[in-house]
Amino acid sequence: MAVKVLIPTPLQKFTNDEATVEIGGDNIVALMDELEGKFPGIKARLCDDSGELRRFVNFYVNSEDIRFLDGKETALNDGDEVSIVPAVAGG
């Protein structure tokens, strides 16, 4: 099973400057583990020390915010697209 993951520019240093990667995973948790296995160091930017997704990083599966789905347990299917979007603050 392959899921397309859109990597934001600040994290592309972990993915050899790739903006899009294909990775496996049955849900967001498994996807994070797969990303870390392939691109060491990226998970620390996406998850805190307890493994929870960081508040300032938003995840979308097929344009749906996972906060309104099943959070980090959101199921993934072959061909899904996961977008990782860092929150932007300013005034």
Side-chain angles (χ1 to χ4, degrees), residues 11-23:
L11 295 178
Q12 289 176 16
K13 63 184 175 186
F14 294 99
T15 61
N16 303 315
D17 296 320
E18 294 292 326
T20 304
V21 298
E22 297 236 347
I23 204 103

Side-chain angles (χ1 to χ4, degrees), residues 20-89:
T20 304
V21 298
E22 297 236 347
I23 204 103
D26 294 336
N27 60 28
I28 297 296
V29 172
L31 180 84
M32 291 296 110
D33 291 339
E34 291 289 325
L35 279 171
E36 180 64 20
K38 191 168 182 181
F39 307 108
I42 196 167
K43 187 175 179 180
R45 301 289 192 254
L46 303 172
C47 300
D48 63 20
D49 292 337
S50 65
E52 294 299 315
L53 300 177
R54 294 191 182 274
R55 290 183 308 129
F56 57 84
V57 180
N58 300 309
F59 292 82
Y60 297 87
V61 174
N62 301 323
S63 301
E64 293 287 329
D65 191 331
I66 67 168
R67 292 177 293 185
F68 302 109
L69 299 172
D70 291 323
K72 66 182 184 177
E73 299 299 327
T74 298
L76 298 172
N77 298 302
D78 191 36
D80 281 349
E81 182 177 274
V82 175
S83 300
I84 301 172
V85 182
V88 178

